[in-house]
Amino acid sequence: NLLDWLKKVYIPLDRLLGEILNQFTKEVKELSADPYDDELMEKFCSFIEKSKSKINRANQIYRSYKNPTNANIFGLNLYHCFSQVEDAINEIERYTMGYVDNYLHDGIEMLREAKKKRSELKKDRKNLTLK
């Protein structure tokens, strides 16, 4: 049932994605004050760990329910969105291990794309419920 799937999968995943994406800019801004400050880096790494935990939870939720047939493409797009966030977090984590700016830049760019995908999903969801 589409409505059940939206309640049990889409809404919790969207909430988890929002928690990561909405907090990320603030976390990067705080770290950018001095990326070599141990306290700031520790706080940033803690954010990354929490984000990874949320992505793991999103994966569990997504895999626990089959996408309804009338939402296959929507479900696939949802998967691509949180998968992109997962890849971005991994890139950013690599940055924390050696301060290679390319990892941070790539991760930030991936998160920007994930934000766009999340916005598109919100629009597409409205079309789903009308069917």
Side-chain angles (χ1 to χ4, degrees):
N1 179 321
L2 178 60
L3 195 56
D4 286 343
W5 183 85
L6 288 170
K7 287 179 185 175
K8 293 177 181 174
V9 178
Y10 171 73
I11 291 171
L13 261 60
D14 182 62
R15 189 185 82 257
L16 290 168
L17 289 171
E19 289 172 7
I20 295 168
L21 294 170
N22 296 336
Q23 190 177 356
F24 181 77
T25 305
K26 174 184 162 264
E27 295 293 333
V28 168
K29 189 174 184 177
E30 286 178 13
L31 179 65
S32 69
D34 183 2
Y36 298 102
D37 179 292
D38 289 341
E39 269 185 48
L40 290 176
M41 182 54 82
E42 189 175 316
K43 185 177 182 295
F44 189 71
C45 287
S46 174
F47 166 72
I48 289 172
E49 286 306 311
K50 287 176 187 168
S51 297
K52 287 171 69 175
S53 176
K54 289 175 184 180
I55 288 296
N56 287 337
R57 180 74 186 119
N59 243 317
Q60 290 170 346
I61 292 168
Y62 184 82
R63 294 177 193 286
S64 64
Y65 296 96
K66 187 177 187 283
N67 290 345
T69 14
N70 56 343
N72 268 342
I73 292 172
F74 182 82
L76 187 60
N77 289 339
L78 178 61
Y79 177 80
H80 286 290
C81 184
F82 79 79
S83 181
Q84 183 151 23
V85 172
E86 180 178 33
D87 291 345
I89 295 297
N90 289 334
E91 281 296 296
I92 293 163
E93 185 177 41
R94 285 185 194 101
Y95 165 76
T96 66
M97 295 174 192
Y99 296 96
V100 177
D101 287 339
N102 289 350
Y103 292 129
L104 182 61
H105 175 74
D106 291 348
I108 289 171
E109 208 44 52
M110 294 165 109
L111 287 173
R112 278 194 191 118
E113 285 300 312
K115 275 186 176 183
K116 287 180 193 172
K117 285 182 181 180
R118 182 173 178 238
S119 292
E120 290 169 16
L121 281 166
K122 285 180 179 279
K123 290 177 192 170
D124 291 346
R125 180 187 175 265
K126 290 177 185 169
N127 294 333
L128 272 183
T129 54
L130 296 176
K131 293 178 183 175

